[in-house]
Amino acid sequence: ATRQQFRADDTLHVDGATTLTALGPPQTLYPPNEGDTTASDDAILRLETPGLRVLLLGAADAYALDALAGAGEPLDSDVVVVAVARGAPLDLSGPLGDVLRLAHPRAIIVTDSPAPVIHRKGVTLTTDMWDSDADVSAAIGAQVYRVSDTGALSLSGGAAGWTLG
């Protein structure tokens, strides 16, 4: 296999019809002296293949997601994959909600990330401050799948259509 360095704004042509683009939000969108956490540096990728667009957010933090939402990148996606702490609901009131609304996904796949302790201005955030998966489905119009609940998901198909199950 050929090895290639892959950085923000680079596009890798997997084959004649499939691309993988690194959507690294510009550092200039971060507030001064902020946005330099490891999670801010998580890779945010966009996979495009005939009939399918996938936005891979990883465990990107609020700074990275806010920068992505404001970067003017086309985010329309059929599927969005995001990592959150096991059992934590998706937060539609912040940057993740902004990105999901811009992406207009049909499916949101939630994978587990390490469970960080979240503090903002001396307040510990609790899960009752976030939305349930049913609320997310109703608000975004996408089915939410949690890998921790299903055990595994498979995506199959081609240009004529894709099936997630």
Side-chain angles (χ1 to χ4, degrees):
T2 303
R3 185 175 176 191
Q4 177 181 339
Q5 192 169 27
F6 194 60
R7 294 183 176 160
D9 300 323
D10 285 351
T11 298
L12 176 67
H13 297 276
V14 178
D15 60 30
T18 303
T19 60
L20 185 65
T21 304
L23 300 176
Q27 187 65 29
T28 56
L29 291 178
Y30 294 127
N33 302 317
E34 295 185 36
D36 56 359
T37 66
T38 303
S40 295
D41 295 333
D42 260 15
I44 298 175
L45 304 172
R46 180 176 173 83
L47 174 71
E48 293 186 67
T49 194
L52 182 68
R53 297 163 301 177
V54 180
L55 184 60
L56 303 157
L57 300 175
D61 67 7
Y63 293 115
L65 294 172
D66 189 47
L68 180 65
E73 292 284 343
L75 299 180
D76 286 341
S77 300
D78 301 301
V79 178
V80 173
V81 182
V82 61
V84 298
R86 186 180 196 115
L90 300 173
D91 181 7
L92 293 184
S93 67
L96 176 60
D98 295 340
V99 169
L100 291 174
R101 285 182 192 90
L102 289 168
H104 309 288
R106 291 182 298 163
I108 301 167
I109 299 173
V110 181
T111 63
D112 294 339
S113 70
V117 175
I118 303 171
H119 295 280
R120 288 195 189 139
K121 298 183 182 175
V123 176
T124 301
L125 300 180
T126 61
T127 58
D128 63 337
M129 300 171 80
W130 288 310
D131 301 297
S132 72
D133 288 350
D135 293 338
V136 171
S137 290
I140 301 296
Q143 182 64 43
V144 176
Y145 298 91
R146 288 190 179 260
V147 174
S148 59
D149 293 341
T150 61
L153 290 172
S154 64
L155 182 66
S156 59
W162 292 85
T163 302
L164 180 65

